[in-house]
Amino acid sequence: MARKFLYVIAGLIVLAIAGAFALAIWGKELQKMAFVPGDGFVEQERLADNAYRSTDMWISRPGIGLDDPARWQPATRGEARDVPTADENNPEFVVFFVHPTSFLERTSWNAALEDAQSARIAEVYVRGMASPFNQASEIWAPRYRQATFGAFLTDSPDSEAAIDTAYEDVAQAFAFFVDSIGPDMPIVLAGHSQGALHLMSLLQRRIAGTALEDRIAAAYLVGWPISVAHDLPALGLPACATAGQANCIASWSSYAEPADPSALIETYSESRGLDGELRGDSGIVCTNPISGTANGTAPASANLGSLVPDTDLTDGELVPRYVPARCDDRGLLLIGPPPEMGAAVLPGNNYHVYDVPLFWRNLQRDVAQRVGSWTKQPR
């Protein structure tokens, strides 16, 4: 099978911080010098109309078999917890997952599909972040010409073009995905960081107000702050308010305490929402991934299993009751004292890299509950 999730940590400390909301860690000018491409954006040729017919264009999809990273099932430390399994007649559903940034180079604004290093790391992300959805009938995770990390450190026309290029690949992959699945199958959208950004665009441009909107059993847009006032209305779906609610959006950004989210909050407040207005001090969507509720609080005892790395970084296992979670008044998810997760914790006790692994087992249960609710709705 593909290499273990823990390669995320080994030598890739800043990799998953891609996104305009995780900036100002070392100083914006220094970051720009290190990561923003020096040359101008070169317009990318649109992928062939049938590009996503090729299995090579997918990290995960039906037919890959044992080497599919999204199908990984980690071991559990200690007692097993009460979580629905695939043999308990869970409702069928399909997942479209978009991985976060795995390309740091400043040699180009977008990663080439044939770039071996970024492709390998993208598979690692799919293993660690798409695997909580492994009870799905089908999981589809496309390769795409992602925007480089430096594209999120500037608001130049070049960066906008790079992000748009990445989005168009994702949109093309999604269109093929929809054509390939059953017409009545519930859809779960899931993505992290840059992946969550592209799913926001997909909801706004391709799904909201269409027949597809009703088929979205849940959308997990994790690691990218969503403004309640300036983003959410354009996405067509409400924020998830209760556990088991269907047709809704779940999102969170994780910090241990004491948390210093000043870099995120500053950049968030100065950015423009999907309505074109400054996000300012508007509230951020915060779903508690342990309880499944909006702005909720849950003790560590309710955490069914965090995906925690071994000390030698060769594997990981699910550890029950590892961290609590509570949404604060800013819309950030606080997880108590810093848990030991490895070397990829970011300044300010930012656990962005671990947004999904910290709540792996609860997320597995959460999606089953939301899809179950979806199947019971009258149509």
Side-chain angles (χ1 to χ4, degrees), residues 113-126:
L113 291 170
E114 60 271 17
D115 184 83
Q117 174 73 349
S118 62
R120 181 184 68 80
I121 298 165
E123 291 188 11
V124 170
Y125 284 138
V126 170

Side-chain angles (χ1 to χ4, degrees), residues 246-259:
N247 297 108
C248 62
I249 294 170
S251 181
W252 61 90
S253 296
S254 309
Y255 281 81
E257 300 176 79

Side-chain angles (χ1 to χ4, degrees), residues 14-26 28 31 35 99-104 125 144 146-155 159 163 192-198 200 222-225 253 255 263-265 267-268 271 279 346 350 352:
V14 298
L15 204 52
I17 63 174
F21 303 103
L23 307 183
I25 292 173
W26 304 287
K28 292 182 179 179
Q31 289 184 80
F35 295 109
H99 69 77
T101 305
S102 61
F103 185 61
L104 284 175
Y125 284 138
Y144 66 104
Q146 61 189 280
T148 187
F149 174 74
F152 298 92
L153 305 182
T154 173
D155 56 2
S159 68
I163 294 169
H192 184 263
S193 203
Q194 180 175 170
L197 171 65
H198 296 316
M200 286 176 63
V222 184
W224 191 276
S253 296
Y255 281 81
L264 181 150
I265 295 298
T267 308
Y268 171 83
S271 65
R279 292 184 171 96
L346 304 175
N350 185 345
H352 178 81

Side-chain angles (χ1 to χ4, degrees), residues 12-372:
L12 301 172
I13 304 304
V14 298
L15 204 52
I17 63 174
F21 303 103
L23 307 183
I25 292 173
W26 304 287
K28 292 182 179 179
E29 293 307 314
L30 179 59
Q31 289 184 80
K32 289 179 181 179
M33 291 174 59
F35 295 109
V36 176
D39 296 330
F41 173 82
V42 176
E43 186 172 355
Q44 306 289 301
E45 184 177 349
R46 189 180 188 277
L47 296 176
D49 290 342
N50 64 349
Y52 282 98
R53 289 183 179 275
S54 171
T55 55
D56 292 340
M57 291 294 290
W58 297 90
I59 301 171
S60 177
R61 61 161 287 171
I64 292 180
L66 293 177
D67 289 331
D68 189 332
R71 294 297 180 178
W72 180 48
Q73 177 63 45
T76 301
R77 183 189 304 176
E79 65 186 82
R81 307 305 301 276
D82 182 17
V83 179
T85 58
D87 60 359
E88 291 179 352
N89 298 316
N90 290 325
E92 292 189 340
F93 64 101
V94 295
V95 175
F96 185 77
F97 178 87
V98 186
H99 69 77
T101 305
S102 61
F103 185 61
L104 284 175
E105 302 299 323
R106 64 188 304 269
T107 53
S108 63
W109 286 93
N110 292 88
L113 291 170
E114 60 271 17
D115 184 83
Q117 174 73 349
S118 62
R120 181 184 68 80
I121 298 165
E123 291 188 11
V124 170
Y125 284 138
V126 170
R127 170 175 285 273
M129 298 182 186
S131 55
F133 303 98
N134 60 19
Q135 296 179 66
S137 304
E138 301 177 9
I139 304 175
W140 297 69
R143 303 187 189 279
Y144 66 104
R145 292 172 295 184
Q146 61 189 280
T148 187
F149 174 74
F152 298 92
L153 305 182
T154 173
D155 56 2
S156 70
D158 288 332
S159 68
E160 293 178 6
I163 294 169
D164 285 344
T165 294
Y167 164 73
E168 288 301 331
D169 284 4
V170 170
Q172 188 173 341
F174 181 73
F176 180 82
F177 158 81
V178 171
D179 288 343
S180 302
I181 63 176
D184 300 318
M185 187 71 73
I187 297 169
V188 171
L189 301 176
H192 184 263
S193 203
Q194 180 175 170
L197 171 65
H198 296 316
L199 288 180
M200 286 176 63
S201 296
L202 195 69
L203 281 165
Q204 180 189 26
R205 303 180 194 179
R206 302 290 182 93
I207 298 175
T210 73
L212 276 175
E213 183 178 304
D214 182 61
R215 291 180 62 188
I216 306 301
Y220 295 88
L221 310 183
V222 184
W224 191 276
I226 300 172
S227 169
V228 174
H230 301 293
D231 295 325
L232 197 59
L235 300 180
L237 301 176
C240 296
T242 60
Q245 178 183 351
N247 297 108
C248 62
I249 294 170
S251 181
W252 61 90
S253 296
S254 309
Y255 281 81
E257 300 176 79
D260 179 10
S262 55
L264 181 150
I265 295 298
E266 177 185 354
T267 308
Y268 171 83
S269 65
E270 295 174 354
S271 65
R272 293 193 179 275
L274 297 180
D275 62 359
E277 300 295 325
L278 288 175
R279 292 184 171 96
D281 60 358
S282 61
I284 298 171
V285 174
C286 183
T287 313
N288 189 311
I290 295 180
S291 66
T293 61
N295 303 314
T297 298
S301 60
N303 190 325
L304 301 174
S306 300
L307 180 55
V308 180
D310 286 351
T311 55
D312 61 2
L313 306 182
T314 60
D315 203 349
E317 61 181 347
L318 296 174
V319 181
R321 301 179 293 275
Y322 202 59
V323 296
R326 66 180 178 89
C327 294
D328 72 3
D329 56 7
R330 297 164 293 191
L332 302 178
L333 187 72
L334 303 182
I335 60 171
E340 181 55 51
M341 290 291 288
V345 178
L346 304 175
N349 273 334
N350 185 345
Y351 275 69
H352 178 81
V353 177
Y354 305 106
D355 282 326
V356 172
L358 281 166
F359 310 103
W360 196 100
R361 197 78 157 170
N362 287 80
L363 184 53
Q364 188 180 62
R365 181 183 65 177
D366 189 87
V367 68
Q369 291 176 334
R370 296 193 193 281
V371 174

